[in-house]
Amino acid sequence: MTVLVLGADEDVVARALAALGSEDGLIVRDRSAGALEALERAVPDARIWYQIGDGDVVPLPDRSVDDVVGERGPDVTRVLR
C-alpha cells in the first residue's frame, strides 16, 4: 500500500504511518523544503519519501497510490488507484 500525504503535518504523518505495514510506503508532499526537513527529523522512518510541491501537479504515475490524506488538487485523482 502507498499513501500520499499532502502537507508536512507531523500528527497526520504519524497517524498515517501507524496504519501502514512494514512493507508499505508513505509519500509526503509539501511546498516547503524546511517543513519537510523538520518532519524528517521529527518522524524518522524509512517508509517515508519526501517531495517538494503541492497537490496541483503530482509527479507520480497514474494509479500509483492507494489513498490520499490532505487537500486534494486536480491531479490527485489521476494518481489514485
Side-chain angles (χ1 to χ4, degrees):
M1 172 178 257
T2 302
V3 175
L4 173 63
V5 176
L6 299 169
D9 181 291
E10 185 177 334
D11 293 332
V12 171
V13 169
R15 282 193 303 273
L17 280 173
L20 294 179
S22 62
E23 299 296 318
D24 297 330
L26 187 69
I27 301 166
V28 179
R29 191 162 171 79
D30 195 282
R31 293 179 182 162
S32 167
L36 291 171
E37 290 170 358
L39 178 65
E40 187 174 17
R41 286 188 302 274
V43 186
D45 193 302
R47 298 175 292 170
I48 302 176
W49 292 65
Y50 301 92
Q51 287 188 343
I52 296 175
D54 55 28
D56 291 340
V57 177
V58 181
L60 295 172
D62 293 355
R63 294 176 298 284
S64 60
V65 300
D66 299 293
D67 195 11
V68 176
V69 179
E71 189 173 332
R72 297 176 182 201
D75 198 34
V76 170
T77 302
R78 177 188 60 79
V79 301
L80 276 170
R81 286 189 182 126

